[in-house]
Amino acid sequence: MIDIQHAVKKFGELKALDDVSFHVDTGEVVCVIGPSGSGKSTLCRCIAGLEILDSGTLTVDDKVVDYNDPSLRKYANEKMGFVFQHFNLFPHLSVLQNMTLAPIQVQGMKQDEAEAKALTLLKRIGLEEKKDKFPEQLSGGQKQRVAIVRSLMRDPEIMLFDEPTSALDPEMVKEVLDMIGELATTGMTLVLVTHEMGFAKKIAKRIVFVDEGKIVESGTPADFFSAPKTERAKSFLGKVLY
């Protein structure tokens, strides 16, 4: 479903991605982990088209995607939902308006249809009564759950998560992880950048360990967490698992 070959992304002199090749099968749940500044988020953002590769290829469903081509950008964006670290909800819009804005204005969905779909999704996560609230009136966990269902409004085939719990207070993390875990059981393709090692071990079919812009190691959770092959992965796990 997603295939990246020999990806390079630079920010000035910094190589955020350095000859990265990465593949995700349909229905696969892949957790991308690694130290801060390793290139994890850049990888996720390049898949979503929020950053453009300097070189290399990105293929989605066997179609090579050039994000400078509007038709191919639309093709890829229609297949993907993206959830950020900091929610990215519009502060001046209600929950319902946040959820229906893109489907109405971008996809041409009728307002009553969009609102009915939004209410169904909000009911699914127990936030139907918050439909007229503004983001500042929600807890961090509620904001992130709204951000997730907002992405689901477009029925994406792929969901990309960029450290979705990093901005949350500890007591709010579980409700967001539970929601992502539920998505993982539906067969949806998920790419999750996370620092939640226990959660990654629980839901991932594959762990990808990134450091200094390179994929250092990739394997099943059982293999990676119990018997990492590289010294860098062993060092990382020794610091984050306790």
Side-chain angles (χ1 to χ4, degrees):
M1 172 160 280
I2 301 171
D3 188 71
I4 289 181
Q5 292 296 318
H6 305 296
V8 173
K9 177 62 185 177
K10 297 179 181 178
F11 296 101
E13 295 300 313
L14 174 67
K15 269 191 179 180
L17 297 179
D18 186 3
D19 194 27
V20 167
S21 294
F22 176 77
H23 183 82
V24 182
D25 289 325
T26 300
E28 191 175 17
V29 179
V30 176
C31 287
V32 182
I33 66 173
S36 297
S38 61
K40 309 182 302 295
S41 292
T42 300
L43 176 61
C44 204
R45 291 174 66 84
C46 285
I47 294 171
L50 300 173
E51 303 287 353
I52 307 300
L53 293 175
D54 293 309
S55 63
T57 59
L58 167 66
T59 304
V60 178
D61 276 356
D62 299 321
K63 182 177 285 190
V64 176
V65 176
D66 176 2
Y67 278 110
N68 293 308
D69 182 328
S71 65
L72 290 175
R73 176 186 286 270
K74 183 174 184 293
Y75 169 80
N77 286 345
E78 285 177 348
K79 289 183 171 291
M80 299 182 197
F82 195 102
V83 178
F84 303 84
Q85 297 179 34
H86 296 286
F87 325 127
N88 284 28
L89 298 175
F90 295 108
H92 62 292
L93 299 180
S94 70
V95 166
L96 190 62
Q97 290 168 330
N98 262 283
M99 293 183 64
T100 58
L101 180 66
I104 292 172
Q105 294 195 359
V106 178
Q107 294 179 285
M109 191 181 292
K110 293 180 180 179
Q111 183 169 339
D112 57 348
E113 180 185 352
E115 289 183 354
K117 186 171 185 177
L119 289 173
T120 297
L121 287 169
L122 287 171
K123 186 174 183 180
R124 174 177 161 187
I125 62 170
L127 292 178
E128 187 178 15
E129 78 282 359
K130 303 291 186 182
K131 65 182 178 67
D132 296 319
K133 300 293 184 183
F134 290 86
E136 66 177 12
Q137 297 173 293
L138 305 178
S139 69
Q142 289 171 338
K143 290 177 188 176
Q144 195 60 292
R145 285 153 64 202
V146 169
I148 293 171
V149 291
R150 179 179 63 175
S151 291
L152 295 177
M153 285 287 292
R154 296 186 294 110
D155 296 318
E157 296 177 25
I158 303 162
M159 283 291 289
L160 308 170
F161 294 90
D162 183 13
E163 298 197 20
T165 61
S166 64
L168 301 180
D169 292 334
E171 64 268 23
M172 297 176 183
V173 168
K174 184 178 184 300
E175 61 191 49
V176 173
L177 293 183
D178 284 348
M179 186 173 179
I180 297 171
E182 180 185 336
L183 285 177
T185 67
T186 66
M188 181 179 284
T189 305
L190 303 183
V191 178
L192 172 66
V193 174
T194 186
H195 58 273
E196 301 286 346
M197 297 298 111
F199 185 67
K201 186 175 182 180
K202 178 181 177 181
I203 74 158
K205 293 183 180 178
R206 184 158 48 95
I207 301 291
V208 173
F209 176 62
V210 178
D211 187 41
E212 296 184 347
K214 295 180 178 290
I215 293 179
V216 177
E217 191 168 334
S218 177
T220 66
D223 289 341
F224 180 79
F225 286 106
S226 63
K229 297 179 178 64
T230 62
E231 290 302 318
R232 183 64 188 95
K234 290 175 185 177
S235 173
F236 174 79
L237 291 174
K239 295 173 181 176
V240 299
L241 299 179
Y242 51 87

